[in-house]
Amino acid sequence: MLAPPELFGIVEENIYRCTEIDPLNFPFLQTLSLNTILSIGQEKPSPAVELFAREHNIKITHMQLPAWKISEEEWKLLPDAVVQRSLSYVLNTRYYPLLIIDLSCTFIGVLRKLQHWNLSSIINEYREMSFDRSQYLYELYIELVDLRKFSIPRYRLLDATENVGETIQVVKRDGLVIETSARGGTGEEPDDAGGQYDMSLFPAESLPEWYLEQERMWLEDKSHYIDIK
């Protein structure tokens, strides 16, 4: 019988989540044809998991977390550097199929904010997936994390009258523009869709279709709302 890992779930197509892996789960994991395991936590995956990954040509990347201290300076459960690097894996299809191991269950909450989920839906999913592991301080971190501080692709809708060749940018699918220069905004304001990002972290050709489609719908809805106002 195939046994999924603890708190296993599907995040998006070819992206999976769990809190830990046991050797009992190896036959199930083989069915996923994993390319990458992204481990977020203080402890590295066990030697048994590392051996399983080597035998099946799976890349393991461990995002080391320091011991969490509740203080004004170190209140963040996930350091910014960990979030930034983890997003560079999740938004790059070269690493798919991808399994995220996160004992705190909070990184998916950060990803959902990037997907423009409302906060109540994010917290509900966190509670459902974490069960008795859920903690108020973890929920508070998800609420307070500020995605404007990270290098992520910045989008806007293409103006029909615009000459795309005059600007430094990448057009990805019909009418969706990925800004690669400061033109279009600084990224300092919450509603600012412009700004710069590191193209080496998010190559345009490797961005997943589910992410691009969600960005398109978000921008179209926002544009329609502005027109109504």
Side-chain angles (χ1 to χ4, degrees):
M1 183 176 67
L2 299 179
E6 183 176 4
L7 298 182
F8 176 82
I10 299 174
V11 180
E12 290 291 344
E13 184 178 2
N14 286 319
I15 301 179
Y16 310 97
R17 64 183 295 170
C18 68
T19 53
E20 56 184 311
I21 297 176
D22 184 270
L24 181 65
N25 310 134
F26 291 167
F28 174 84
L29 294 178
Q30 290 184 53
T31 68
L32 303 180
S33 300
L34 294 174
N35 182 42
T36 308
I37 293 177
L38 180 64
S39 172
I40 304 174
Q42 295 181 22
E43 302 293 332
K44 294 178 61 177
S46 69
V49 173
E50 292 181 339
L51 177 60
F52 168 79
R54 286 197 300 270
E55 291 177 342
H56 293 85
N57 198 29
I58 301 172
K59 173 183 173 63
I60 292 184
T61 297
H62 178 58
M63 303 294 181
Q64 179 72 47
L65 295 183
W68 191 35
K69 301 177 182 179
I70 303 177
S71 67
E72 185 175 349
E73 295 78 18
E74 301 181 21
W75 62 271
K76 297 179 181 178
L77 176 65
L78 302 180
D80 289 349
V82 169
V83 174
Q84 180 69 79
R85 192 172 175 213
S86 297
L87 288 174
S88 73
Y89 277 78
V90 172
L91 296 183
N92 192 330
T93 57
R94 295 175 183 174
Y95 300 111
Y96 291 6
L98 170 72
L99 174 65
I100 302 169
I101 306 175
D102 179 14
L103 190 62
S104 72
C105 301
T106 53
F107 174 71
I108 299 303
V110 176
L111 177 61
R112 296 311 190 193
K113 292 188 76 169
L114 185 64
Q115 294 178 280
H116 310 292
W117 284 32
N118 65 64
L119 183 60
S120 61
S121 296
I122 296 173
I123 297 302
N124 284 339
E125 182 188 45
Y126 163 76
R127 291 174 179 173
E128 290 176 358
M129 295 304 299
S130 59
F131 289 100
D132 57 349
R133 298 176 186 267
S134 62
Q135 297 188 36
Y136 171 72
L137 290 176
Y138 288 13
E139 296 180 9
L140 189 61
Y141 166 77
I142 294 173
E143 179 180 357
L144 295 179
V145 65
D146 187 356
L147 292 179
R148 293 173 298 174
K149 300 182 63 176
F150 301 104
S151 175
I152 54 177
R154 311 284 182 180
Y155 298 92
R156 63 182 175 82
L157 295 174
L158 180 65
D159 188 331
T161 63
E162 180 180 351
N163 185 350
V164 175
E166 295 179 353
T167 61
I168 306 174
Q169 57 195 353
V170 178
V171 177
K172 184 72 174 182
R173 300 177 60 183
D174 296 339
L176 189 62
V177 178
I178 306 173
E179 295 283 1
T180 61
S181 71
R183 182 179 183 276
T186 62
E188 294 298 326
E189 297 300 328
D191 293 331
D192 194 340
Q196 294 182 315
Y197 77 99
D198 186 347
M199 291 188 68
S200 66
L201 292 176
F202 306 100
E205 68 276 8
S206 298
L207 287 167
E209 290 298 316
W210 57 263
Y211 178 64
L212 294 169
E213 187 61 30
Q214 287 172 351
E215 286 298 305
R216 178 199 302 282
M217 290 189 294
W218 169 257
L219 289 171
E220 289 178 346
D221 286 348
K222 187 169 69 171
S223 175
H224 179 66
Y225 175 75
I226 292 175
D227 289 343
I228 292 177
K229 291 179 64 177

